[in-house]
Amino acid sequence: MALFPAFAGAGEPGETPASGSEGSRRELDWLSNPSFCTEDALKLHQRAADLTPERSQLIRSPSRSELSGRSNTSEDLKQSTKKRKGKKKKHHHHKKRKKKTREESSNSESGSDSECMKDKPRGSDTNHEREAATLNLEDITSNGVTSRFVWLEDIQALTAETFRTDKNPDPANWEYKSLYRGDIARYKRKGDSCLGIDLKKQRITWESSMVEKKQSHKQPERYFTKNSVQLLSTDGISVYSKSQTSSSGPSTFIPVSQLDSDAPPTTTSVNPLGIYDPLTTLWLQGKGPSEHETLKQQASQETSENVNSILKAKVEEYNRMVRENPRDVHTWMEFVSFQDEIMRGPSPYAIKEGEQEIRRKSFKLILEKKLAILERAIESNPNEVDLKLAKLKLCTEFWEPSSLIKEWQKLVFLHPNNPVLWQKYLLFCQSQFSTFSVSKVHGLYGKCLSTLAAVQDGSMVSHPVLPGTEEAMLAIFLQQCHFLRQAGHSEKAVSLFQALIDFTFFKPDSVKDLPTRGQVEFFEPFWDSGEPRFGEKGAKGWKSWMHQQEKGGWIIINKPDEDEEDVAEDQEIKDKTLPKWQIWLDIECSREKRHWLPWRPDKTKKQTEEDCEDPERQVLFDDLGPSLIRLSSPDLQFQLLYSFLQFVGVPCGHSLFPSNLYIAMDENNIFDTGQSERPLTSFDSLLSGVNSIGHMDTMTRGRQHIGHCKEGEEFIQNVFHLMLPLFSRKENANLSVCWLQYEISKVVQCLQAKNKKKLKSQGKKSKKLAKNLLKASENRNNLSLWKLYAYLEWLLGNTEDARKVFDTSLCLAGTEGMRNIQLCNLSLLYASLEVELLESFEETVMSRALHILTKLAESGPYVPYTGQVLSVNILKARKAYEHALQDYLTESPVSNWDQASSSSQLVNLVGCYVLFQYLTVGIDAAVLICRHISEKLKGFASQKFESIGENLGIHNFPTALEAVTLMHTNLLRYHMKVSIYPLNPLREALTEALKLYPSNQSLWRSYIQIQSKSHNASKARRFFDRVTRSTKSLEPWLFAIQAEMMRKKLVENVQRVDVGEIYSTIPETGLTNRIKALFEHAIQSENGAHCPLLWRMYLNFLFSLGNKERSKGLFYKALQNCPWAKVLYMDAIEYFPDQLQETLDLMTEKELRVRVPVEELELLLED
């Protein structure tokens, strides 16, 4: 047997194969080879074992014995080399092919003693076989890889510098700009010093041509990346102590074993140190886990299966419920909402591995499933509007705006009698930027109101009248007026109010039985007749005009008023050196303030319609007729009147309907603290963030919120003069109170602005109005007017005169005492004003306030203050207050509390008793009464009041609980001002109240004011988070943002004055990002998406950070949701003045009111 069986039959080249005997005889011929040496063989074996694939490619000099031993093959080597040169073909191999070839070649030559030198690949499979036979190599690779090596020991003429010259030209060197990269030696430098300086450190590393692929080093992903968010959203497995395990059923927790540190670890042969856990020890022993461990693993698997089985069971339950009762709309909606819960966790229906993660994050899949469920629900309930609205809400993610509008039109056509559907349709069309224009949306409002009016009249026989239609029609009308005001068309908004008030309160008796459209046809001649309209001088109303027309008409020659001479308008451009955008804003705001009334031709001056410089100031009847509706309820008629007064800036304690409050909210005066230094008697104007007519301006410019130009003030006076004679004594008194409150609010504004000159003139006007109102016979005993007159004198600084007025009014009240609501209210205000004058808490026993409250409890004739109150009288008064309050809570039926008078009586009585206890006993006794009353009211009264307010949408009075809480917090604020008292009771009272009334702006103002003094904001942030999750009101979002912005401003203002360096005494980071996050969450809410005030605040905040590009992007995003808000465009002109022309063009395209076109501005600048 041959030592090398693979070469046993190999002979010399050219020889014929030998027979079997000859082959066996020649098997051991290699032993007789004189060049064979056992020592060389051992050395050869040792070197082959030590060689590595990398070093086998390096060039080494062979030993002399090896050269001599293989010299006999040199001739054959030369011949074979010449043959290969003749047949050589250049070709390039793929990198992977080269790698494979080199590895196999190095393996085939691993037994060789000498190192090899690399050469270019050449030859083919057949050449390789011929070379192997010619050279008689020791090893042949089985896969037939081409040999690429030349052995130095096979070359006879070996010199010191052995090299081979290749005379064949390479055309690629001419074609390309550089040599082939494979022909260039590559090395890596190690060290940073020059070559040859330090031989120990400097060397050259020759790299093989086989370059390994560099591993891509990915940077660690941050927490906000997609994969990290998916990882964070996965449900973790809770860990708990072994002592807390529950024995009931399988648990999803991993038990944490508690090892006793004193007990020595158990050691075995496979675990000599006792450091392995039992499972590892079993694995080392070659054993499997015990049955107990197997059961544990099965239990964990069963737990995850149980979760899936629970979800499957719920799905099956919902399917069964909707199958058995397909008319149950509530179950269908719950089933739709349940899809979110399914998608939060892994899908119980996942088939492939990894499908759970895909389904978990597939938002589109959730929408499609919900849509499929809703379509099934609509098939079973084709007349349910809620299901169709939910479907349209989902389809906003899929469909184009044009397709959505068509679907909305179909839905409105099928349900023309549904006012809620109309409101949502109008808001949708109003907030679609691509299809929005003012005239289009204004026409939709008219179509909506005319359709609902036809349903109300019974003209549309196919659809019945739904309950609450009349209230909803008034809400839609008010929404239309505020839409026109926000779009800049204030003349149309005022004309709408004028027409509807005339249409409602001055309707002739002859047309009252006609349907609404018939009444409108009779109203049109009056409107176009040129007669003075509601609010204009000389107006008498539609009824008087029609009565005179039936008699033959009248001819009135109005003599021009000598006092009313044409007053030259102020120069609109006061400083031409200002930037163009600033001049435009000044003129635009000035005209908004002066020209909000519709223009009418003055017949005494022989004016015609052609004399109007701005045709937009004229309002045609075609713009008003479709929106006129019939209001039969007296409450809704008064709501219309009070809404108009609030619209023109008269504070009358009435807010908008909840459905359109946030759409109309565009002014940041909800954060104004007012008279914060007077917490007991602060005057709350109740503007609620809705801007009044004529006060449109940018976010950053200072301006007044109350009061108008001369024409506007005359208009408001004419309104009151025209409306007061229409009503009975009670309503007349309420309107008189509203008028005087309007004058007082202007005085308060002058006090806040510290404008003494204007305060003096305004005080005279207000006092004159109060005296004129009190001179009227029906108002002489009106304690509410006396109270406001005395309060006005007190604000003007005339304390003694105010006391005389108060004393006079108390003497007029008689001996009714606490049974009189107005007397309680008057005494409470008088006593509160006196308490605020006290310099210290020790003076309360000597104060006038205690005298006033004691006389109220005695129910006798009032006697002015003479000195200290007797202790006996104090004890009697306390008992009287206790009995009166107890009798009221026990005997007064709950049904009577539905009325505003009953609620006001309770609140005033509690206020007097609380203030009396505060003056005689202390703050703790007063707080105890507030808590006791609040507990009583929480059970029944608050729910009753809330339901009334939500159903009617009329907030005539705050609920009793809300008013008592506000009184409680104001008293605590005052006591903290004059004395040392902890902040926690006030904070707790406010948090409890805000949980019940999250939309009360007064409570929120107090809350953020006290939280601004706190060093730690974590409690307030947690509270804001809880409230925003539990309510749909927007006020928690707005005040949470305001609180963070106040904190940011405080942190930025804390500086060292002497050095000018930032000295952060409040360690706060991330406030900017927190405020941004609050804004983003707020605009994603249902009410916040279409609130212009929220977008204005966000835009102002981003611009204040200096990020102009991002602010510009946010501006266009705001237009996508509120394209009708002109104040957004005005803010953008102030923030991005270089885009003035572009913004004005956009306003013109959307038909928003632009009072100063660019062409007119350029002409004014030239003049």
Side-chain angles (χ1 to χ4, degrees), residues 18 74 81 107 155 164 183 196 391 403 479 547 683 710 850 855 890 922:
S74 60
T81 303
N107 291 336
I155 303 175
R164 181 171 60 84
D183 296 340
K391 179 186 175 183
S403 303
Q479 184 175 329
H547 185 65
F683 186 79
K710 184 180 178 181
L850 188 58
K855 286 297 180 183
T890 54

Side-chain angles (χ1 to χ4, degrees), residues 786-843:
W786 282 103
K787 179 191 75 170
L788 288 177
Y789 177 43
Y791 183 52
L792 176 63
E793 291 282 4
W794 195 286
L795 288 175
L796 293 173
N798 308 323
T799 307
E800 291 301 325
D801 294 340
R803 284 172 175 168
K804 291 179 182 178
V805 176
F806 272 121
D807 291 341
T808 304
S809 58
L810 288 174
C811 292
L812 289 174
T815 60
E816 295 184 20
M818 291 179 286
R819 293 188 299 274
N820 190 336
I821 303 173
Q822 295 181 351
L823 181 59
C824 282
N825 197 0
L826 177 66
S827 303
L828 179 60
L829 177 63
Y830 189 12
S832 300
L833 289 170
E834 291 289 349
V835 168
E836 288 178 343
L837 284 181
L838 297 177
E839 296 180 357
S840 63
F841 190 68
E842 287 75 15
E843 299 178 5

